[in-house]
Amino acid sequence: MRDAELAAPLRAALDGDEAGFAALWRALQPAVLRYLHAVCGEAAEDVASETWLQVARDLPKFTGDATAFRVWLFRIARHRGIDDGRRVWRRREESRDSIEASDARAVPDVTGEVLEHAGTEWALGLIGELPRDQAEAVLLRVVAGLDVAGTAAVLGKRPGAVRVAAMRGLRRLAAHPQVQSRRSEIVASAARFASAGGSDAPRRCGAPTRPAEGHAT
């Protein structure tokens, strides 16, 4: 759901309307879960619940538009995810290993398109292989739909650092054999569609066809 569509339910929620809050939850919970699945794994459901509980508690203090609310929501989700990670670390006395970086180069925009059209578990699995900073930047930019400034606000980093992290993450993903395969499928499908629709495009679009020679126009 775009920020413009969130404006009305946000206003309602700020006025204490439970239906407005429920609309916000339905619209943004899927993205919150996808983000948290990559950040804290199996604990995502519990952390998401903690996130929305804090949102409900602190909503009267919130000021801003729908874009600011999206940033605020994912900042809370990230902090709850970090807290969960600390609990796990204290419990198991171990930290996560980071994945060694690769030097592959590719076109990030196409990679984002592949991720958007792919299955959720498949995409999250690949993103989860990225170093933490790159994975979060890609998730917030591609999955959560935040812009660079919003992502920077969630992560507490400078926009330039977020832009670099997202670019590096998308380039790493673009070099992955599975992403390259799906990318080829998308390109091939688009080419087949264009080829099939080219000959009868004027007729399907309602445009008049050229009259046969020798006939009056």
Side-chain angles (χ1 to χ4, degrees), residues 86-135:
R86 287 170 178 166
R87 288 195 296 268
V88 172
W89 185 87
R90 287 194 296 267
R91 203 161 50 238
R92 300 180 181 177
E93 297 183 354
E94 63 183 12
S95 61
R96 294 185 177 184
D97 294 329
S98 60
I99 304 300
E100 184 178 357
S102 64
D103 296 327
R105 295 176 178 271
V107 182
D109 288 345
V110 178
T111 306
E113 183 179 358
V114 171
L115 294 176
E116 289 177 359
H117 286 80
T120 300
E121 292 186 5
W122 179 84
L124 292 179
L126 293 183
I127 294 173
E129 296 177 7
L130 296 173
R132 176 68 175 265
D133 63 328
Q134 295 177 20

Side-chain angles (χ1 to χ4, degrees), residues 45 88 170 181 187:
E45 294 277 356
V88 172
L170 289 171
S181 175
V187 172

Side-chain angles (χ1 to χ4, degrees), residues 7-164:
L10 176 59
R11 286 194 299 269
L14 288 172
D15 290 336
D17 182 14
E18 293 183 3
F21 187 87
L24 291 176
W25 182 86
R26 286 193 299 270
L28 296 172
Q29 170 72 345
V32 170
L33 277 177
R34 287 194 293 270
Y35 170 68
L36 289 174
H37 269 299
V39 172
C40 47
E42 296 179 357
E45 294 277 356
D46 292 338
V47 176
S49 296
E50 293 175 6
T51 297
W52 285 103
L53 284 173
Q54 180 173 343
V55 169
R57 184 179 67 246
D58 296 345
L59 188 60
K61 305 175 186 176
F62 172 79
T63 57
D65 58 11
T67 300
F69 178 80
R70 192 187 295 263
V71 171
W72 182 63
L73 169 65
F74 279 93
R75 185 186 293 129
I76 292 174
R78 182 172 187 264
H79 289 167
R80 297 288 70 77
I82 290 173
D83 288 344
D84 178 79
R86 287 170 178 166
R87 288 195 296 268
V88 172
W89 185 87
R90 287 194 296 267
R91 203 161 50 238
R92 300 180 181 177
E93 297 183 354
E94 63 183 12
S95 61
R96 294 185 177 184
D97 294 329
S98 60
I99 304 300
E100 184 178 357
S102 64
D103 296 327
R105 295 176 178 271
V107 182
D109 288 345
V110 178
T111 306
E113 183 179 358
V114 171
L115 294 176
E116 289 177 359
H117 286 80
T120 300
E121 292 186 5
W122 179 84
L124 292 179
L126 293 183
I127 294 173
E129 296 177 7
L130 296 173
R132 176 68 175 265
D133 63 328
Q134 295 177 20
E136 285 197 282
V138 170
L139 282 165
L140 291 171
R141 295 282 285 118
V142 177
V143 177
L146 296 179
D147 59 13
V148 172
T151 302
V154 171
L155 298 178
K157 296 182 177 180
R158 294 181 178 179
V162 167
R163 192 176 291 108
V164 170

